[in-house]
Amino acid sequence: MPYPTAHSGRSEAASLADYLRIIYRRRLIAALTFAVVFIGTAIWTILATPLYEASSTVQVLEEGGQDTLLSDLAKLGKGSPVADEMEIIRSRTVAEGVVGELQLDRRIIGNGDAYAQLVELNVPPEQMGRPYELRFVDENGAFEISDPDGGTMGTARSEELFKTPILTLRIDNVRAKRGDLLSIVQVPFEQAVWEVQDNTRVRQVGEKTNIIGVSYTSRDPLLAARVVNALVTIYRRQNIEQRSAEASQTLSFIQASLQVVQEQLDSSEDELQRFKSENGVMLLSSEAEALIEQLARFEAQLYEVRMRATEVQQVLDHLLAGRAEQALTMLPAVQREDVVLSTHGIELAELVKQRRGLLSVLTENHPEVRAVQAQIEQVQDNIEQVLLSSRATLLGRAQSLQGVVDDYLAQLGQLPSTERDLASLARTRQVNEGIYTLLLQKREEARIAKAATVGNIRVIDSAIVPKVPVRPKVKLNLLMGLIVGLLAALGAAFLLEFVDDSIRTVEEVERLTGKPSYGTIPRIADSRRGAEAPPGISPQLVTRLNPKSPASEAFRSLRTNLQFGDPDHKLHTLLVTSAGPGEGKSTISANLAVTIAAAGRRVLLIDADLRKPSINRIFQIEREPGLTNVLTGQNAWRDVVRSTQIEGLDVLASGPIPPNPTEIMYSKAMRGLLDELRQEYEMLIFDSPPVIAVTDAAILGAMLDATLLVVELGRARADAVQRAISLLANVDANLLGVVSNNISMAGGGHYGYYYYYQDDEGSVKRKRSRRARSKRP
């Protein structure tokens, strides 16, 4: 058999097989973790309250009509119109309108098929949120009312008003039978508003579209649809009201002016009639009639020009003060005949759009943004100059008209006194009549504009009652539970593997110790299952009890490795030890001794564990006298060595446990005993205490030819094994290699054992451990 190497030549990087072995070793915790996650997800999905979602879509229409100065100025500083409208839909104002319209602060909850419409409910503030119980006492809608504390308040019938100092209640459309229960509760208005806002979802449908999706989630599918439709209706109503505010303000201004002019017109007509009655003059000359008609026409023109100049001045004042939206709201007709202003407005709108796009990726101090901002300021300056020029033109025209009016007034002053007074009164009446007619025309235009005002919101799809709940999503939840459960199971397995520093595989032993593996011993319990040990043979002596087992073959492999491990130096004395207690060193020592003796060599097994000896129990012999008696000079070694049922194998028990095992082990008597025993036996095997617990093993290791370190997989800790190796190296002990104990023959282990044996008829048979793979040493 070739000499075993410390490194198998495989990369230290973890392979898929390594991961699979980890999962197999941790299969119980992995399965438990998966079951908890998946079953928990399934239970939560089944028990979760179904939630329904109703949705509606609306479109924000682009501003229609010609691009004008004021419409462009109104867009300055604004973000995306869709984003603005989405925030309006989410606003508290809209939510309050929904709660008030649907009375969402008043709720009626039934059991089973019981139903009633809540018409009126008023409770004191201290009872807000506490339910009143209605128990129906017959099939005709009669019910008994209980307060939140369980006290009976009285009885009432459907459609009847039940009123007490602390409760006002009326229900209608009752569908209930005797014994049914309904709960009535009124929650604070603010809480109902918050619930509407919290359960409302507003989103933009698609990218770069003006379509908004509005949805609402509720346990009641009918309520979800009603809330969404109410949200859209109230939002659209507020949009129309806001857009009609401009025309309303203009109409109010004209209405106020019209009232004043009408009073002036009535007064002037009364004065004219009184003058005619007092002076007996009824008609003016044709020359005076023509003069008054011209004068009234020019005065009406002068009034209109001055009114337009006032409008331009107001717009200019707002623009210079940075209040472009106020200018738009107050006087929208300024640009109606000015092509230059419209052109500048279009240019300004494009620049603002370009600047907004740059600000989405750049800062305000970026050179490109600053260049566009400079162009915007230049266009604004041009607009202000146009407005100043327009105002100057209107004022100049007003001045010219005032001169014409003055000329006509001068001509009117040259008439005879009586005719002049009559003409003056007729002129005042006619001027007021002209202005009144002008204002009437403007009022009708404003009324038409207000009546024609429509919102820029179009409802694409109204909400319908949902049939299928949106949550919980059963298939998705189960799929996610499956995936998360698998991930959690793997995570738990690898986490335990990470925090567990015990040595699990032979490769780990070799990498950790840097020493070759001289043997891999399977679990002896598996090999002796169902077997009965004859008298005088311990079940631990598997090589004697069942020599055809995989464990016996493993010990023969260990014997061969020791025999050919170092052909130049014959191995005469061997120490078997471990880092910690309970790793199987005594069992391995005993079975190794049996195996070597079976090969025809004379072997002495010495129990050098003077603290917790166990070799005497394995071979079922007396512990005393033994090694302690020999080292203290009480007995000769030939007198205490016991022969066994195995030919060629003798055992030297520990003897009585001394108070100073270390001193005895380090004595000259021990060295002398070794010299004598070397002369009598071909192989001396010492079973010693653990290396880390006491120094006995290190002392013996320095005296003997070689040391084998037993490592129990799944129990031995990496730091303990490294510490044991360090202690042996400190005394120059020859650590020959390691023996891996407790190898699993199940699917989790990858070491199998081929062995041959001869049956009773002499035929050669070959066996292999089930569910294990063979591995050549």
Side-chain angles (χ1 to χ4, degrees):
M1 181 174 291
Y3 181 82
T5 59
H7 300 280
S8 62
R10 297 174 60 186
S11 170
E12 292 192 6
S15 65
L16 177 60
D18 294 328
Y19 291 127
L20 293 178
R21 280 194 293 273
I22 292 174
I23 295 172
Y24 182 81
R25 283 198 301 269
R26 308 294 183 179
R27 59 189 180 276
L28 294 180
I29 188 64
L32 179 61
T33 303
F34 173 79
V36 169
V37 174
F38 183 76
I39 296 177
T41 303
I43 293 176
W44 177 84
T45 301
I46 295 173
L47 298 181
T49 302
L51 296 178
Y52 296 85
E53 182 179 77
S55 60
S56 175
T57 52
V58 297
Q59 181 183 14
V60 181
L61 302 175
E62 296 288 348
E63 297 290 343
Q66 182 183 9
D67 288 325
T68 61
L69 168 66
L70 293 180
S71 62
D72 293 330
L73 289 177
K75 300 176 183 177
L76 292 178
K78 289 188 176 181
S80 169
V82 174
D84 294 343
E85 299 301 325
M86 290 170 61
E87 291 302 319
I88 293 174
I89 297 175
R90 296 189 187 100
S91 68
R92 179 179 178 82
T93 302
V94 175
E96 287 177 347
V98 172
V99 173
E101 185 169 310
L102 300 182
Q103 295 185 346
L104 297 182
D105 56 334
R106 303 173 181 179
R107 303 171 186 178
I108 182 167
I109 306 171
N111 64 335
D113 297 329
Y115 172 80
Q117 180 182 356
L118 185 59
V119 179
E120 187 173 352
L121 175 66
N122 285 299
V123 300
E126 61 271 12
Q127 296 295 339
M128 289 284 187
R130 302 187 66 187
Y132 289 80
E133 188 176 87
L134 310 184
R135 179 183 298 274
F136 290 89
V137 296
D138 60 23
E139 306 293 333
N140 299 320
F143 54 89
E144 184 182 79
I145 306 173
S146 300
D147 61 24
D149 298 323
T152 301
M153 302 181 64
T155 58
R157 286 188 173 274
S158 174
E159 301 181 6
E160 293 181 356
L161 180 64
F162 179 83
K163 188 172 184 180
T164 67
I166 61 173
L167 175 65
T168 301
L169 172 66
R170 185 170 64 181
I171 61 174
D172 198 356
N173 298 327
V174 174
R175 294 197 305 270
K177 59 182 180 298
R178 181 185 179 89
D180 284 345
L181 293 176
L182 289 177
S183 294
I184 307 293
V185 62
Q186 182 171 0
V187 299
F189 187 83
E190 295 77 10
Q191 178 182 340
V193 171
W194 177 84
E195 289 178 358
V196 170
Q197 290 181 293
D198 186 57
N199 293 317
T200 300
R201 188 166 66 97
V202 184
R203 70 190 188 284
Q204 184 176 7
V205 179
E207 296 183 0
K208 299 181 180 180
T209 68
N210 288 351
I211 299 178
I212 300 175
V214 184
S215 59
Y216 186 82
T217 305
S218 174
R219 299 179 181 181
D220 185 353
L222 178 60
L223 178 63
R226 292 179 62 204
V227 170
V228 171
N229 288 329
L231 276 167
V232 173
T233 300
I234 293 173
Y235 159 65
R236 190 164 179 262
R237 182 192 308 156
Q238 291 182 357
N239 178 266
I240 295 175
E241 292 174 354
Q242 186 273 332
R243 295 177 65 82
S244 65
E246 176 184 311
S248 299
Q249 186 171 0
T250 302
L251 181 61
S252 299
F253 172 76
I254 294 174
Q255 192 70 34
S257 300
L258 188 62
Q259 183 176 358
V260 174
V261 173
Q262 184 176 7
E263 292 176 356
Q264 293 176 352
L265 177 60
D266 294 340
S267 176
S268 61
E269 287 180 346
D270 292 341
E271 290 182 3
L272 179 60
Q273 291 298 329
R274 186 172 57 255
F275 180 84
K276 288 180 177 181
S277 300
E278 291 176 355
N279 293 281
V281 179
M282 301 299 297
L283 296 175
L284 293 171
S285 63
S286 58
E287 180 182 359
E289 287 283 354
L291 184 63
I292 292 172
E293 183 179 349
Q294 292 295 328
L295 180 59
R297 183 168 62 85
F298 282 109
E299 283 189 331
Q301 292 179 9
L302 177 61
Y303 180 85
E304 183 178 3
V305 170
R306 285 177 174 173
M307 186 169 60
R308 292 197 58 194
T310 302
E311 293 174 353
V312 171
Q313 183 62 50
Q314 291 176 339
V315 173
L316 186 59
D317 291 341
H318 285 297
L319 290 178
L320 293 176
R323 299 189 298 268
E325 293 187 6
Q326 286 85 341
L328 172 64
T329 304
M330 290 183 61
L331 298 171
V334 171
Q335 86 295 350
R336 60 187 176 187
E337 297 176 357
D338 200 323
V339 179
V340 177
L341 287 178
S342 297
T343 303
H344 284 317
I346 296 173
E347 182 181 0
L348 184 60
E350 291 297 329
L351 290 173
V352 170
K353 182 179 179 181
Q354 181 181 354
R355 179 178 180 273
R356 188 180 299 123
L358 291 174
L359 286 176
S360 63
V361 294
L362 304 174
T363 63
E364 293 186 357
N365 294 325
H366 194 276
E368 293 186 24
V369 178
R370 297 177 66 180
V372 174
Q373 181 62 34
Q375 297 180 41
I376 291 175
E377 293 175 356
Q378 181 62 44
V379 173
Q380 286 180 316
D381 291 340
N382 294 338
I383 292 174
E384 291 176 3
Q385 293 299 322
V386 171
L387 287 175
L388 290 172
S389 176
S390 178
R391 185 190 63 176
T393 300
L394 290 172
L395 292 177
R397 186 178 177 188
Q399 186 174 2
S400 299
L401 288 172
Q402 184 64 51
V404 174
V405 170
D406 291 341
D407 290 340
Y408 278 107
L409 288 175
Q411 296 178 27
L412 188 64
Q414 296 176 1
L415 296 174
S417 59
T418 302
E419 188 177 10
R420 183 178 65 244
D421 293 338
L422 179 61
S424 178
L425 293 173
R427 165 244 176 185
T428 301
R429 184 197 61 78
Q430 192 166 350
V431 169
N432 289 333
E433 185 178 9
I435 295 174
Y436 184 75
T437 302
L438 176 65
L439 290 176
L440 285 177
Q441 180 182 355
K442 287 184 173 292
R443 185 182 68 176
E444 292 306 315
E445 292 176 356
R447 283 179 175 176
I448 293 173
K450 181 179 180 180
T453 299
V454 293
N456 64 332
I457 303 302
R458 182 171 70 93
V459 179
I460 299 176
D461 291 321
S462 297
I464 60 175
V465 179
K467 304 297 183 183
V468 180
V470 293
R471 290 193 296 271
K473 300 181 183 294
V474 178
K475 294 183 179 179
L476 179 61
N477 287 356
L478 293 180
L479 178 61
M480 291 302 297
L482 177 65
I483 295 174
V484 174
L486 290 175
L487 294 177
L490 294 176
F494 287 110
L495 177 62
L496 288 180
E497 187 72 18
F498 176 77
V499 300
D500 184 5
D501 63 345
S502 61
I503 302 174
R504 292 287 177 178
T505 65
V506 177
E507 288 89 346
E508 292 180 32
V509 176
E510 293 178 344
R511 286 196 298 265
L512 179 67
T513 62
K515 296 293 181 178
S517 175
Y518 271 74
T520 54
I521 310 301
R523 294 176 183 171
I524 294 178
D526 294 337
S527 64
R528 72 175 199 273
R529 182 176 299 167
E532 294 183 0
I537 299 179
S538 169
Q540 292 175 272
L541 283 177
V542 63
T543 52
R544 177 68 175 174
L545 179 64
N546 190 1
K548 299 176 182 179
S549 66
S552 299
E553 179 63 25
F555 280 109
R556 286 191 284 270
S557 176
L558 172 61
R559 178 193 64 191
T560 305
N561 287 337
L562 290 173
Q563 180 180 354
F564 297 100
D566 190 358
D568 297 334
H569 300 84
K570 187 176 181 180
L571 185 62
H572 197 183
T573 58
L574 177 67
L575 174 69
V576 180
T577 186
S578 62
E583 296 192 42
K585 55 181 178 53
S586 298
T587 302
I588 291 176
S589 301
N591 283 280
L592 178 60
V594 172
T595 304
I596 295 176
R601 300 180 66 183
R602 192 177 180 204
V603 180
L604 176 61
L605 176 60
I606 304 169
D607 191 349
D609 189 349
L610 303 183
R611 302 172 189 270
K612 292 183 178 181
S614 58
I615 294 297
N616 60 294
R617 291 196 301 271
I618 295 176
F619 286 91
Q620 298 184 3
I621 60 176
E622 295 293 331
R623 192 181 70 185
E624 300 178 13
L627 178 62
T628 305
N629 303 95
V630 175
L631 295 179
T632 57
Q634 299 176 16
N635 298 92
W637 67 267
R638 295 181 187 274
D639 297 333
V640 297
V641 168
R642 294 175 176 83
S643 60
T644 65
Q645 298 180 12
I646 296 96
E647 184 179 355
L649 175 61
D650 294 337
V651 175
L652 179 57
S654 64
I657 298 176
N660 55 344
T662 302
E663 286 75 8
I664 293 178
M665 203 64 65
Y666 195 64
S667 64
K668 292 181 180 180
M670 183 64 184
R671 298 179 186 275
L673 177 62
L674 283 176
D675 292 337
E676 294 183 25
L677 293 178
R678 282 191 180 98
Q679 301 299 322
E680 295 292 330
Y681 292 94
E682 297 178 79
M683 188 69 179
L684 302 176
I685 299 177
F686 287 79
D687 178 34
S688 73
V691 179
I692 296 179
V694 293
T695 60
D696 302 12
I699 293 173
L700 281 174
M703 298 179 182
L704 305 182
D705 296 339
T707 301
L708 277 182
L709 184 66
V710 177
V711 177
E712 182 181 0
L713 301 187
R715 180 172 183 175
R717 303 292 175 181
D719 55 349
V721 173
Q722 290 178 326
R723 176 63 177 164
I725 295 174
S726 176
L727 292 174
L728 292 172
N730 290 340
V731 297
D732 293 328
N734 179 23
L735 179 58
L736 196 62
V738 295
V739 177
S740 300
N741 191 23
N742 197 30
I743 298 292
S744 174
M745 295 175 59
H750 61 285
Y751 288 91
Y753 301 93
Y754 282 101
Y755 59 95
Y756 294 85
Y757 67 93
Q758 192 170 24
D759 61 6
D760 296 338
E761 287 75 19
S763 61
V764 177
K765 293 186 177 181
R766 169 180 166 183
K767 284 188 178 181
R768 182 188 179 191
S769 59
R770 187 171 62 91
R771 299 179 60 196
R773 295 185 178 181
S774 64
K775 176 183 170 104
R776 295 182 182 273

